[in-house]
Amino acid sequence: MDLTDIIYSNDYINILIQNYVAQSERYQMLFPESSALLTLNPQYSVLFLERSLLPENLFGAVPFTGLPKLFTPLSTLSLEVSGIVQTQNLYGGGYTGKNVIFGFLDTGIDYRHPAFLHANGQSRILAVWDQTDRTGTPPAQFPYGSLYTKSDLDAALESGDPLSLVPVTDPDGHGTYVAGVAGGTPDASAGFLGAAPEADFAVVKLKPAKQNLKDFYLVSSNAPVFEEDDLLSAMHFLNETAAAEGKPLVLCLALGTNQGSHSGTLPVSLTLARYGNTPGVIPVCATGNEGNAAHHYYGSVSETYTPKNVEFLVSEGNRGFTLELWGQAPQLFSVGFRSPGGETIPRIPVSLNQEQRITFVLERTVIYVNYEVVQATTGSQLILIRMLDPTPGIWTLQVCRAFPSPPDFHIWLPITGFSTSDVTFLEPDPYTASIFARSYISRVLSFLTTIRGIVSSFSYVVKRFPQVSHCLRRLIELLSSAGRESITFVSAALQNGHFNRSSPFLVLLICPRQVFITYHTYYNIAGSALLQAEVFRYSFFILSFLSLLSASPE
């Protein structure tokens, strides 16, 4: 089986590792002969291991950061009120995205749609990498999928049967919709106007996540689900495409997940941060869809010997789901359960690197609990809970603490679409449910605490970044005039990166039947002073604004 077959094979599990591990001959000697390795970008590689070499519980053999997280398309409902016309009319007009590339990684694109055509009928799309298509020639960077260039698309559009030449489609329609709103060609008869109608496009149609990973995360729906490693390769492809064209790139990601600590430490978040520090690249991510979904809980355990009861409702027909509880070190949380039938599982003691299987006398439900006392990339505690065949009704998660401080914790349920029927908290907290926009939030808040209020921080940005201060001021005016007072946060921060030896990294020591993981410290991501604009819930309004920073008016 060659590398291309392995990439698509469900007999292999994907494991994300950092490149200094992947490129070390010392560690490569420990990889099984049947394994394969693919470099995704300058930071990460993916290691393909035979699924049969790993135990059923992947989390017991592979650290949480090594398992690719799963992403799904976010809602397009809010795009209808995104304020595109007001943005285009800034300072007399002319902000149309000319000489800018919009890069999308999504469910695909209907390249035949008039929204992506010039007036002469030729395509505005410079390149499409269809990761699902094995019939064509893959891009130079990656040995899978099929690459179609602008000339391929133009030839297909001129033919009587375009799909016979370029079989790129978008059955879900999400990628087509998002790309159309961002930069679709105007259609006066339909009253349609994209945010940047003169921008070029580069598109990646993501391949579906492997079933073995969906099974581990208990994703039971038929919704589009994509793997984190494919997102990383897609972003690298889009960046390389823009560099080859010599144009700035607006990297548009309208996918989301509830997995991870929500602190910006997932590989996809760190990669977006690196691109955000790259001149000529502006990442834009959709956020806020989970704010009213009741999938996030924030609480604290007030007494050491009195658990905090967290109730959640499981709907009929749910076949399984995962919960992630995150707490800050040096606190040590542990959990117990009470089923809808009243059967109680007392507090489960914390155990290292050992999955605990919980069964019930009167319920068919099986619960797997994994404790990771110090999670590698965050330093936080993670409790991963997987519930199979949960009994419908109200469940109670009993959270206990070992020390007085810090008493706070977060719990996340799966994102909307991952389950055939929903699971919700009875007392949810909506304020920290945003996914990607929270990547920098802790750094931003830390920065703002040293400044007296939003006004003074804005004044600092005006002085430090005079070239964008007028855009920021105008953006705030537009949002205020449009009645968008619900924006959670609009401010700026400086990210002063420097190498240090405080961040953990993975060292894989792989034996024939088991994967052992150890942790060490090596370096932190390096960055440079960068303006970060954080806007919750209206990210596609800011997409238009961000594209202005890369383009000049006519």
Side-chain angles (χ1 to χ4, degrees):
M1 187 179 294
D2 62 14
L3 179 57
T4 300
D5 292 331
I6 288 175
I7 290 173
Y8 289 98
S9 175
N10 196 54
D11 294 331
Y12 282 77
I13 195 75
N14 300 7
I15 301 175
L16 285 169
I17 58 178
Q18 293 188 341
N19 282 344
Y20 60 82
V21 175
Q23 296 168 3
S24 170
E25 294 183 4
R26 179 174 55 179
Y27 297 115
Q28 289 179 4
M29 292 173 60
L30 300 174
F31 298 160
E33 291 184 3
S34 60
S35 67
L37 195 65
L38 176 64
T39 301
L40 300 175
N41 60 29
Q43 289 173 284
Y44 293 98
S45 294
V46 57
L47 176 66
F48 301 96
L49 288 179
E50 284 187 276
R51 183 65 181 87
S52 60
L53 298 179
L54 298 170
E56 181 179 355
N57 172 30
L58 290 174
F59 190 59
V62 181
F64 185 74
T65 51
L67 290 174
K69 306 306 174 287
L70 298 183
F71 293 76
T72 193
L74 297 179
S75 171
T76 58
L77 183 63
S78 62
L79 299 185
E80 298 178 7
V81 290
S82 57
I84 290 171
V85 174
Q86 298 98 308
T87 305
Q88 285 189 342
N89 290 333
L90 282 173
Y91 312 113
Y95 295 93
T96 59
K98 189 174 183 179
N99 296 321
V100 176
I101 295 177
F102 277 6
F104 293 90
L105 48 160
D106 214 292
T107 59
I109 193 166
D110 182 1
Y111 68 91
R112 302 164 297 168
H113 196 284
F116 312 115
L117 304 180
H118 290 291
N120 61 5
Q122 292 188 339
S123 180
R124 292 173 54 200
I125 304 173
L126 301 178
V128 177
W129 177 24
D130 188 344
Q131 294 183 348
T132 69
D133 181 7
R134 303 184 62 179
T135 64
T137 302
Q141 305 96 319
F142 302 102
Y144 68 106
S146 298
L147 172 63
Y148 297 101
T149 64
K150 185 179 185 306
S151 59
D152 296 328
L153 297 170
D154 289 339
L157 291 169
E158 292 176 0
S159 70
D161 186 10
L163 293 180
S164 65
L165 298 178
V166 178
V168 176
T169 59
D170 182 15
D172 183 82
H174 185 271
T176 300
Y177 188 94
V178 171
V181 170
T185 302
D187 184 348
S189 62
F192 172 75
L193 175 66
E198 292 190 272
D200 296 321
F201 293 95
V203 178
V204 177
K205 180 178 180 179
L206 297 165
K207 68 179 180 66
K210 289 184 177 181
Q211 189 62 43
N212 55 34
L213 201 57
K214 293 173 65 176
D215 289 344
F216 175 76
Y217 287 121
L218 302 177
V219 176
S220 55
S221 72
N222 294 321
V225 180
F226 309 109
E227 287 187 27
E228 189 173 14
D229 46 305
D230 288 322
L231 270 66
L232 297 181
S233 62
M235 287 188 278
H236 184 68
F237 168 81
L238 294 171
N239 184 61
E240 292 293 302
T241 299
E245 294 288 333
K247 296 181 179 179
L249 171 68
V250 178
L251 192 60
C252 306
L253 185 60
L255 309 175
T257 185
N258 277 358
Q259 296 171 346
S261 65
H262 296 61
S263 61
T265 55
L266 288 179
V268 70
S269 300
L270 294 174
T271 299
L272 287 168
R274 178 172 60 84
Y275 284 127
N277 287 336
T278 303
V281 180
I282 300 176
V284 178
C285 303
T287 66
N289 285 185
E290 290 290 283
N292 61 351
H295 289 162
H296 170 256
Y297 181 91
Y298 172 72
S300 62
V301 183
S302 57
E303 300 291 339
T304 300
Y305 299 105
T306 304
K308 175 70 174 181
N309 291 327
V310 181
E311 294 181 319
F312 56 94
L313 175 63
V314 177
S315 303
E316 291 278 354
N318 194 296
R319 292 181 292 177
F321 60 94
T322 61
L323 300 89
E324 295 178 21
L325 186 151
W326 291 85
Q328 290 297 318
Q331 185 59 266
L332 200 62
F333 290 106
S334 54
V335 296
F337 300 89
R338 185 169 62 244
S339 73
E343 190 171 350
T344 299
I345 302 297
R347 184 184 72 85
I348 303 166
V350 176
S351 62
L352 300 179
N353 301 322
Q354 181 179 352
E355 181 178 64
Q356 304 190 53
R357 184 176 186 270
I358 311 300
T359 59
F360 295 80
V361 176
L362 303 177
E363 320 273 356
R364 294 188 308 167
T365 305
V366 178
I367 300 177
Y368 295 91
V369 178
N370 288 90
Y371 290 104
E372 189 167 8
V373 176
V374 180
Q375 203 275 323
T377 56
T378 64
S380 304
Q381 182 192 8
L382 166 64
I383 304 177
L384 179 65
I385 301 169
R386 300 191 300 142
M387 299 187 65
L388 281 68
D389 293 322
T391 301
I394 296 176
W395 284 80
T396 301
L397 179 68
Q398 299 175 324
V399 183
C400 305
R401 76 182 194 190
F403 309 110
S405 181
D408 302 334
F409 62 89
H410 296 266
I411 309 176
W412 277 276
L413 289 165
I415 193 172
T416 303
F418 271 20
S419 299
T420 50
S421 62
D422 205 5
V423 186
T424 56
F425 288 111
L426 297 190
E427 297 181 352
D429 175 79
Y431 298 111
T432 48
S434 295
I435 301 166
F436 285 111
R438 287 193 54 79
S439 294
Y440 302 103
I441 192 66
S442 60
R443 300 178 187 134
V444 172
L445 291 176
S446 177
F447 173 78
L448 288 179
T449 56
T450 64
I451 306 172
R452 293 184 177 180
I454 295 296
V455 174
S456 59
S457 66
F458 180 73
S459 299
Y460 175 82
V461 172
V462 170
K463 296 176 182 178
R464 186 70 173 83
F465 299 97
Q467 68 273 27
V468 297
S469 62
H470 66 285
C471 291
L472 275 173
R473 184 181 291 107
R474 183 56 178 151
L475 173 65
I476 293 174
E477 292 172 359
L478 282 173
L479 293 174
S480 300
S481 64
R484 290 174 171 80
E485 295 84 357
S486 60
I487 289 178
T488 309
F489 191 75
V490 180
S491 74
L494 292 175
Q495 202 176 307
N496 296 308
H498 60 279
F499 285 98
N500 60 61
R501 297 183 177 273
S502 61
S503 292
F505 77 99
L506 293 178
V507 178
L508 292 180
L509 303 177
I510 300 179
C511 297
R513 298 293 299 177
Q514 178 69 32
V515 177
F516 299 91
I517 307 298
T518 60
Y519 301 108
H520 195 47
T521 58
Y522 185 64
Y523 70 86
N524 195 6
I525 301 301
S528 59
L530 173 70
L531 173 69
Q532 299 290 356
E534 300 289 351
V535 177
F536 291 143
R537 298 185 62 81
Y538 296 97
S539 57
F540 270 87
F541 183 87
I542 204 171
L543 182 150
S544 304
F545 162 72
L546 290 174
S547 69
L548 306 183
L549 303 185
S550 298
S552 300
E554 292 288 330

